[in-house]
Amino acid sequence: MFKNMFKSGCLVRTAHVILTWLTTLVLFLHNTDLRKCQERGDLLHPVMFSALVLLSVLLYFTVSLMDPGFVLSDSDTKGTSVDGDEELEEMIPQEQSSLKQRRCGYCFLLQPMRARHCRTCKRCVRRFDHHCPWIDNCVGERNHRWFLLYLCVQFAAVSWGLQTAWSGVVFAPTWQQWFSQNGFLLGAIGVTGVFSVVVFILLCIHLYLASANTTTWEFMSRHRILYLKHCDSEENPFDRGVICNLWDFFCVCRTVAWERIYIRRTHTTV
């Protein structure tokens, strides 16, 4: 896992961490609510805010460096335990002969249903959602729930940071003095404001996708996906209802044979 840290995403991850802690430092050095709490000896809010920022950074590296659900190849399973072979069998159930497995045109692996090849990662990813340049990693079956959790924590951190930065803005008799006194805070407001909007939009989108048991790839490219072409525009063969979808998304931590669910739902519909 750690070797991935030194690939192309190293610059992106380093910039993210530096920007995060520089913004946090600005909030503590200026006369903001956090600084006032420190001066009064009330350390609860500063400690909670620092812990929230630290948690967001840890979750960022978690979703950035973990395996998103790469499809196993023959070379991946050689010399591994029996569990690896069982996982491969779960990914491609052989008894479902009515479904033809699609062979990837790039890595020539048999793709389980809902998998897609990522040209950036050069691997096929199970339950592919999208490749995120922000984390320089794919979002797939294994890390999608962690990505959504990261968005929740990140939104809480940046929205709190935005409110804190605004509380430190002071008035001055001239515009020049005002900009000189609030310049760094204005930068913090700009960073946290932009991130608040972007993260909130992403959070809403992925909460909807999780509740509907669909992915960004399936939602945006439905007309190009073979197993969805025969469904109605509003039909999702993997949808089990909002509660069951959210339960499976957050609580089921295993490889899912989507072929079995697809056949069961399509046969029931027919």
Side-chain angles (χ1 to χ4, degrees):
M1 180 181 73
F2 292 101
K3 66 180 181 180
N4 295 333
M5 190 181 301
F6 301 101
K7 292 185 178 180
S8 59
C10 180
L11 183 61
V12 176
R13 298 181 186 110
T14 302
H16 176 87
V17 173
I18 292 176
L19 185 62
T20 298
W21 289 113
L22 277 180
T23 304
T24 304
L25 186 62
V26 168
L27 298 180
F28 276 98
L29 291 180
H30 286 74
N31 192 31
T32 61
D33 289 343
L34 292 177
R35 180 66 180 272
K36 294 175 182 177
C37 288
Q38 279 185 303
E39 294 175 350
R40 293 196 307 265
D42 181 11
L43 300 181
L44 177 62
H45 287 85
V47 170
M48 288 178 59
F49 180 77
S50 301
L52 187 65
V53 173
L54 178 60
L55 179 60
S56 71
V57 172
L58 293 177
L59 285 173
Y60 173 79
F61 278 100
T62 298
V63 297
S64 178
L65 299 176
M66 74 181 299
D67 178 2
F70 292 126
V71 176
L72 299 178
S73 63
D74 294 337
S75 59
D76 293 327
T77 56
K78 283 182 181 179
T80 58
S81 62
V82 181
D83 294 339
D85 296 331
E86 291 177 353
E87 182 181 9
L88 188 60
E89 291 177 2
E90 288 184 2
M91 289 160 45
I92 308 177
Q94 300 298 325
E95 68 272 13
Q96 307 295 352
S97 58
S98 59
L99 284 177
K100 293 183 179 180
Q101 296 293 332
R102 178 181 180 273
R103 188 170 291 277
C104 177
Y106 297 95
C107 59
F108 306 108
L109 295 177
L110 287 176
Q111 285 185 337
M113 183 171 284
R114 309 188 80 180
R116 184 173 182 261
H117 186 87
C118 174
R119 297 189 184 183
T120 304
C121 295
K122 298 179 182 179
R123 298 282 298 274
C124 286
V125 180
R126 297 195 304 271
R127 198 185 178 275
F128 176 84
D129 188 87
H130 72 289
H131 182 89
C132 180
W134 184 5
I135 64 175
D136 193 53
N137 194 12
C138 282
V139 176
E141 187 171 74
R142 287 190 175 181
N143 67 344
H144 199 171
R145 65 178 61 85
W146 292 103
F147 182 74
L148 185 52
L149 179 60
Y150 163 68
L151 291 178
C152 293
V153 174
Q154 183 71 11
F155 177 70
V158 293
S159 58
W160 191 352
L162 177 61
Q163 183 272 328
T164 301
W166 184 259
S167 69
V169 176
V170 296
F171 295 97
T174 63
W175 282 105
Q176 184 177 2
Q177 292 179 353
W178 187 81
F179 276 111
S180 64
Q181 293 179 13
N182 300 304
F184 287 104
L185 281 176
L186 292 177
I189 290 174
V191 170
T192 55
V194 171
F195 272 88
S196 295
V197 174
V198 173
V199 174
F200 178 74
I201 293 174
L202 287 174
L203 180 59
C204 292
I205 291 174
H206 284 275
L207 279 175
Y208 167 76
L209 294 175
S211 65
N213 197 355
T214 188
T215 64
T216 302
W217 164 246
E218 291 172 343
F219 184 81
M220 300 295 295
S221 305
R222 185 183 182 92
H223 61 286
R224 298 169 54 188
I225 301 176
L226 292 177
Y227 57 84
L228 294 179
K229 277 187 174 181
H230 305 292
C231 302
D232 296 335
S233 58
E234 300 297 328
E235 182 183 355
N236 178 14
F238 309 108
D239 186 9
R240 298 178 56 218
V242 175
I243 296 178
C244 290
N245 290 337
L246 292 176
W247 174 265
D248 291 343
F249 182 85
F250 288 106
C251 302
V252 177
C253 301
R254 59 179 175 82
T255 301
V256 180
W258 298 106
E259 290 85 351
R260 296 190 179 99
I261 298 175
Y262 179 83
I263 287 180
R264 191 182 306 124
R265 290 298 302 272
T266 52
H267 284 184
T268 303
T269 304
V270 174

